[in-house]
């Protein structure tokens, strides 16, 4: 009986194909919007989390900022040592000083960025060496001319398939020996391409490229067992003290908590998803009212048919089921079309805004069931009206 | 002897209430046995259609007792009356009332759908019913492709397909020319001869002449019952 009812419903829908499509447009758009936005939201979250994890979990990034007087007071290695030794819960602190330079090897050249870092920095940022070896303590303290290559630089100036480890290359007018290659990193936190870089010991870069002991910024990795806010407070207090800032003077440096950035981004994605959910709900509500309207029209148009069915012995609930099935099938078809459109739209948009396409079966199933549920909610009243018609009046209906 | 198929005792029917109330039936008594062919006649407003609706279990009387196969129908609810119609009654209407854009075969199958019969059984029974009315070659045609007479024969097949006890025909020839009307009446008489009880409302004496019994209504009451008179004389055609 139900199978026959569904076939009957499909036939009625096919009879008024244009009307059916227009009627379900609201449902189609609503479902497509939900599927697209949730899928893209998942993609954005995934790519943000990847980025955050590349910054290293449980990290602070500390850098000087311009004061009202327009000066910048940089940090140096003494500040880093003080933070590492004087604040409980800090596992390590490590500075970074960078410069731009052109890399030369075997007649090839490539403009890139030289990152002055020590091994501690690489550990704090989870930067791994895939070929060769990291810096030794001796190379760091002596400021030796050794370097680790980012993937892009290797591809740009070294022949593919050959190992650059052991080669002597030139960075600007500084000669250096390649001791290793860095794993693929992708887009960094600041939007910079982390693969387009050459890493040298901090002291080497300070001495040969910068001409000072200054740092651009330093990172602080702390024990996850400690509360971030406690460590941040100690960090700020210590740095203010070291920089001789008086009570009312504002901080002339900034501390960024990567975990907090993560949370903020998560909250932003959540808010966006919630907003889309509201818009989609309105679209679905409007769509549902459209369904109810068209079902009422259908009941009126088919009054005689209902009369015939009742006269030959259809029960009220059988007539109700017939019209309810029609509304549900209509909405479910709308849901399927919406899911298909949402699927295509999210693949397209994911490529466009460069986030991974993360397929979420749950949202597709939920959207479909919700659409079908709309059929029950908005189809019930027209179906009930059909089932309560008086057979004598219905047969007389012109 | 078994109880009569249909018994009406003091049936009244009032439409509306208060000052606007209209009494369509004022106490109708009527007994119909199995195998009868009854023509119900009378001027408009005499109560014949109201009686037919009550006999068809589509409407309930305001007062009195209506027994069908011994069951007091006025005590049944809507769904119980639907089940009664589904099992024992077949309807033929003046306006044919076939489902548009649906083949003759599917129209005839419709009542079996509500009996939950299998597709194969439905098809078999529907083809048998179409055979009874001589429309097997037209099984795949929609009502729009059939003449009025053919449409009415499809409607009769639809009424027969459930093998009902009673066929109720409300002005079955009202929309047909005289030649088609005679075809339909001959068909009804043949079906009656095969055992089915037929109740027919008509205002044409020619058509009523095919019945074994004529019940004449006037002002909401049975005026006269003419039993077997014409049937004994043979066909008027």
């Amino acid at each position: 009986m139900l199978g026959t009812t569904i076939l009957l419903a499909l036939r009625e829908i096919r009879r008024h194909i244009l009307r059916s499509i227009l009627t379900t447009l609201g449902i189609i758009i609503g479902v497509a919007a939900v599927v697209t936005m949730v899928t893209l939201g998942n993609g954005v979250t995934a790519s943000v989390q990847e980025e955050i994890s590349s910054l290293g979990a449980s990290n602070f990034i500390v850098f000087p900022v311009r004061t009202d007087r327009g000066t910048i007071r940089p940090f140096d290695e003494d500040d880093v040592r003080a933070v590492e030794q004087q604040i409980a819960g800090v596992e390590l602190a490590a500075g970074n000083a960078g410069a731009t330079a052109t890399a030369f090897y075997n007649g090839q050249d490539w403009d890139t960025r030289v990152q002055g870092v020590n091994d501690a920095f690489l550990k704090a940022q989870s930067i791994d060496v895939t070929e060769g070896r990291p810096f030794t303590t001796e190379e760091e303290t002596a400021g030796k001319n050794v370097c680790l290559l980012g993937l892009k630089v290797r591809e740009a100036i070294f022949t593919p398939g050959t190992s650059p480890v052991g080669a002597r290359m030139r960075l600007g007018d500084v000669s250096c020996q390649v001791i290793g290659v860095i794993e693929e990193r992708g887009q960094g936190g600041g939007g910079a391409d982390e693969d387009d870089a050459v890493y040298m010991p901090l002291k080497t870069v300070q001495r040969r490229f910068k001409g000072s002991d200054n740092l651009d910024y330093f990172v602080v990795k702390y024990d996850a067992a400690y509360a971030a806010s406690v460590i941040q407070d100690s960090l700020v207090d210590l740095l203010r003290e070291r920089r001789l800032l008086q009570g009312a003077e504002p901080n002339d440096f900034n501390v960024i908590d990567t975990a907090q950035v993560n949370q903020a981004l998560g909250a932003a994605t959540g808010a966006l998803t919630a907003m889309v959910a509201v818009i989609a709900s309105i679209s679905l509500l409007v769509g549902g009212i459209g369904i109810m309207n068209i079902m009422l029209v259908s009941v009126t148009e088919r009054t005689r048919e209902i009369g015939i069915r009742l006269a030959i012995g259809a029960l009220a609930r059988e007539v109700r089921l017939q019209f309810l099935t029609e509304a549900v099938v209509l909405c479910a078809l709308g849901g399927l079309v919406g899911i298909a459109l949402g699927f295509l739209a999210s693949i397209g948009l994911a490529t466009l805004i460069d986030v991974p396409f993360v397929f979420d079966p749950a949202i597709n199933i939920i959207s479909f069931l919700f659409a079908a549920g709309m059929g029950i909610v908005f189809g019930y009243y027209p179906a009930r009206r059909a089932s309560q018609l008086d057979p004598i009046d219905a047969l007389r209906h012109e | 002897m078994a109880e009569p198929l249909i018994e009406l005792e003091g049936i009244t029917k009032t439409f509306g209430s208060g000052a606007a109330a209209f009494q369509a039936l004022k106490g109708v008594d009527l007994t119909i046995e199995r195998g009868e062919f009854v023509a119900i006649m009378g001027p408009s407003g005499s109560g014949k259609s109201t009686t037919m609706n009550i006999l068809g279990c589509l409407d309930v009387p305001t007062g009195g007792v209506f027994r069908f196969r011994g069951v007091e129908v006025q005590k049944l609810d809507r769904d119980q009356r639907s089940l009664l119609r589904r099992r024992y009654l077949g309807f033929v209407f003046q306006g044919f009332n076939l489902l548009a854009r649906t083949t003759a075969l599917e129209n005839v199958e419709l009542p079996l759908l509500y009996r939950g019969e299998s597709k194969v059984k439905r098809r078999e029974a529907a083809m048998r019913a179409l055979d009874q009315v001589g429309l097997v070659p037209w099984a795949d045609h929609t009502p729009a492709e059939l003449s009025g007479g053919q449409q009415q024969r499809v409607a009769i097949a639809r009424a027969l397909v459930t093998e009902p006890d009673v066929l109720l025909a409300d002005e079955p020839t009202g929309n047909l020319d005289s030649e088609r009307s005679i075809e339909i009446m001959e068909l009804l008489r043949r079906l009656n001869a095969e055992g089915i009880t037929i109740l027919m409302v008509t205002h044409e004496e020619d058509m009523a002449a095919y019945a074994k019994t004529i019940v004449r209504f006037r002002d909401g009451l049975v005026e006269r019952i003419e039993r077997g008179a014409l049937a004994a004389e043979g066909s008027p055609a």
Side-chain angles (χ1 to χ4, degrees):
Chain A
M1 184 76 200
L2 189 65
T4 321
T5 314
I6 290 174
L7 282 178
L8 206 70
L10 285 171
R11 195 154 74 173
E12 275 311 318
I13 290 164
R14 211 179 51 206
R15 248 172 216 174
H16 304 286
I17 187 71
L18 182 64
R19 181 166 99 182
S20 304
I21 292 170
L22 292 176
T23 303
T24 45
L25 216 50
I27 305 262
I28 292 173
I29 292 170
V31 168
V34 170
V35 169
T36 309
M37 290 318 292
V38 171
T39 307
L40 285 181
N42 287 342
V44 170
T45 310
S47 83
V48 164
Q49 268 163 2
E50 200 184 342
E51 227 166 74
I52 296 298
S53 72
S54 81
L55 285 179
S58 314
N59 270 10
F60 290 119
I61 298 171
V62 186
F63 53 93
V65 292
R66 207 173 286 278
T67 59
D68 299 341
R69 271 167 269 146
T71 54
I72 289 184
R73 281 198 292 164
F75 292 105
D76 60 24
E77 272 297 282
D78 292 340
D79 296 311
V80 174
R81 293 286 77 74
V83 166
E84 198 172 58
Q85 284 157 15
Q86 293 175 28
I87 299 175
V90 169
E91 286 178 348
L92 61 85
N96 178 307
T100 53
T102 309
F104 299 94
Y105 180 76
N106 203 16
Q108 305 289 317
D109 61 282
W110 179 258
D111 289 336
T112 188
R113 193 165 170 77
V114 186
Q115 301 274 18
V117 296
N118 287 341
D119 198 43
F121 184 91
L122 298 179
K123 286 212 172 66
Q125 300 290 81
S126 325
I127 298 173
D128 293 332
V129 177
T130 50
E131 261 182 78
R133 57 169 179 85
F135 305 126
T136 61
T137 316
E138 197 248 321
E139 284 164 347
E140 287 174 359
T141 47
K144 288 272 178 69
N145 290 351
V146 289
C147 59
L148 296 165
L149 296 185
L151 217 60
K152 272 249 169 80
V153 181
R154 177 200 181 155
E155 285 168 5
I157 59 173
F158 284 90
T159 318
T162 62
S163 174
V165 176
R168 284 209 82 84
M169 59 178 278
R170 202 153 55 77
L171 278 166
D173 47 14
V174 178
S175 164
C176 72
Q177 184 180 16
V178 179
I179 59 164
V181 179
I182 299 295
E183 59 159 357
E184 186 173 359
R185 300 285 296 168
Q187 205 82 344
D193 188 346
E194 291 195 348
D195 291 325
D196 188 4
V198 175
Y199 295 82
M200 293 183 86
L202 177 61
K203 203 163 216 173
T204 317
V205 173
Q206 284 173 334
R207 194 184 293 159
R208 308 296 300 268
F209 292 89
K210 307 278 276 190
S212 79
D213 289 340
N214 295 340
L215 296 173
D216 293 348
Y217 66 93
F218 66 94
V219 296
V220 179
K221 188 174 170 66
Y222 59 89
D223 185 345
Y226 285 79
S229 59
V230 174
I231 295 186
Q232 188 168 354
D233 288 347
S234 323
L235 187 59
V236 170
D237 287 347
L238 176 67
L239 293 175
R240 283 182 68 86
E241 196 181 312
R242 287 182 64 83
R243 293 160 86 84
L244 306 169
L245 291 172
Q246 299 304 313
E249 274 183 289
N251 291 344
D252 58 359
F253 58 92
N254 222 336
V255 177
I256 290 178
D257 182 351
T258 52
Q260 225 166 32
V261 173
N262 199 356
Q263 272 174 9
L265 282 168
T269 321
L272 191 72
T273 308
M275 199 177 74
V276 171
V278 169
I279 294 168
S281 309
I282 293 169
S283 173
L284 284 173
L285 184 71
V286 172
I289 291 167
I291 295 283
M292 179 152 26
N293 182 40
I294 216 69
M295 288 311 294
L296 286 171
V297 169
S298 183
V299 168
T300 308
E301 275 180 355
R302 287 152 69 193
T303 299
R304 258 162 99 89
E305 177 196 323
I306 295 163
I308 296 166
R309 287 176 187 278
L310 289 169
I312 64 175
L315 299 177
R317 66 164 180 273
E318 288 166 338
V319 171
R320 195 166 61 222
L321 181 70
Q322 185 192 339
F323 280 86
L324 204 54
T325 306
E326 219 170 289
V328 171
V329 168
L330 196 61
C331 289
L333 286 178
L336 285 180
V337 174
I339 285 172
L341 282 181
F343 185 79
L344 294 177
S346 36
I347 288 180
L349 286 172
T351 316
L352 201 69
I353 63 173
D354 196 25
V355 296
F357 171 74
V358 185
F359 181 74
D360 182 354
I363 190 64
N364 287 280
I365 293 167
I366 290 169
S367 302
F368 177 75
L369 292 179
F370 193 80
M374 302 279 298
I376 295 176
V377 170
F378 289 97
Y380 185 79
Y381 173 70
R384 193 178 122 93
R385 214 157 103 155
S387 72
Q388 287 181 340
L389 285 174
D390 178 61
I392 299 167
D393 292 340
L395 281 169
R396 253 187 237 133
H397 189 265
E398 288 305 321
Chain B
M1 184 63 195
E3 67 203 341
L5 185 63
I6 290 166
E7 281 177 288
L8 299 182
E9 284 174 17
I11 292 290
T12 60
K13 179 72 187 179
T14 308
F15 292 106
S17 59
F22 166 69
Q23 199 173 24
L25 298 179
K26 297 169 180 167
V28 171
D29 297 310
L30 187 63
T31 302
I32 297 167
E33 303 288 346
R34 278 170 205 277
E36 282 262 28
F37 187 166
V38 179
I40 297 172
M41 299 198 68
S44 331
S46 61
K48 60 182 194 301
S49 288
T50 307
T51 305
M52 196 66 167
N53 286 338
I54 290 171
L55 288 173
C57 304
L58 291 167
D59 206 352
V60 280
T62 311
V65 177
F66 166 29
R67 266 190 290 273
F68 177 72
R69 296 170 61 102
V71 175
E72 296 201 9
V73 177
Q74 80 278 357
K75 290 180 180 168
L76 301 182
D77 66 21
R78 208 181 130 115
D79 277 352
Q80 288 170 321
R81 281 184 282 121
S82 276
L83 291 172
L84 214 58
R85 289 199 296 275
R86 178 187 294 195
R87 205 158 300 157
Y88 302 113
L89 305 180
F91 288 88
V92 176
F93 307 96
Q94 178 177 359
F96 319 138
N97 279 336
L98 299 175
L99 297 188
R101 289 173 297 191
T102 305
T103 65
L105 185 65
E106 285 168 329
N107 263 292
V108 176
E109 278 184 19
L110 193 62
L112 298 174
L113 208 62
Y114 292 107
R115 285 194 169 189
E117 299 279 11
S118 75
K119 199 177 167 75
V120 178
K121 273 194 169 175
R122 287 205 306 263
R123 192 119 306 190
E124 270 176 22
M127 287 309 280
R128 222 171 22 246
L130 280 173
D131 188 38
Q132 279 182 286
V133 299
L135 278 183
V136 171
W138 299 87
D140 292 329
H141 291 255
T142 61
E145 298 163 349
L146 299 173
S147 71
Q150 286 172 323
Q151 287 188 48
Q152 193 59 301
R153 274 148 70 195
V154 173
I156 292 170
R158 182 178 65 192
L160 291 176
V161 76
T162 57
E163 297 173 352
D165 286 6
V166 183
L167 187 72
L168 294 112
D170 190 356
E171 303 262 16
T173 60
N175 287 10
L176 301 173
D177 61 34
S178 57
E179 204 177 323
R180 305 283 158 245
S181 298
I182 289 166
E183 271 178 36
I184 295 296
M185 293 315 299
E186 291 289 355
L187 175 59
L188 289 181
R189 185 153 69 179
R190 200 184 80 222
L191 294 169
N192 176 243
E194 286 167 10
I196 192 167
T197 308
I198 297 180
L199 307 181
M200 174 180 76
V201 167
T202 184
H203 60 267
E204 294 170 86
E205 291 290 346
D206 290 356
M207 302 303 137
Y210 283 86
K212 292 176 183 167
T213 304
I214 299 175
V215 179
R216 292 188 191 275
F217 273 75
R218 183 174 291 279
D219 295 333
L221 287 168
V222 174
E223 184 189 38
R224 191 149 45 93
I225 300 178
E226 300 162 10
R227 275 191 203 278
L230 289 164
E233 288 169 19
S235 167

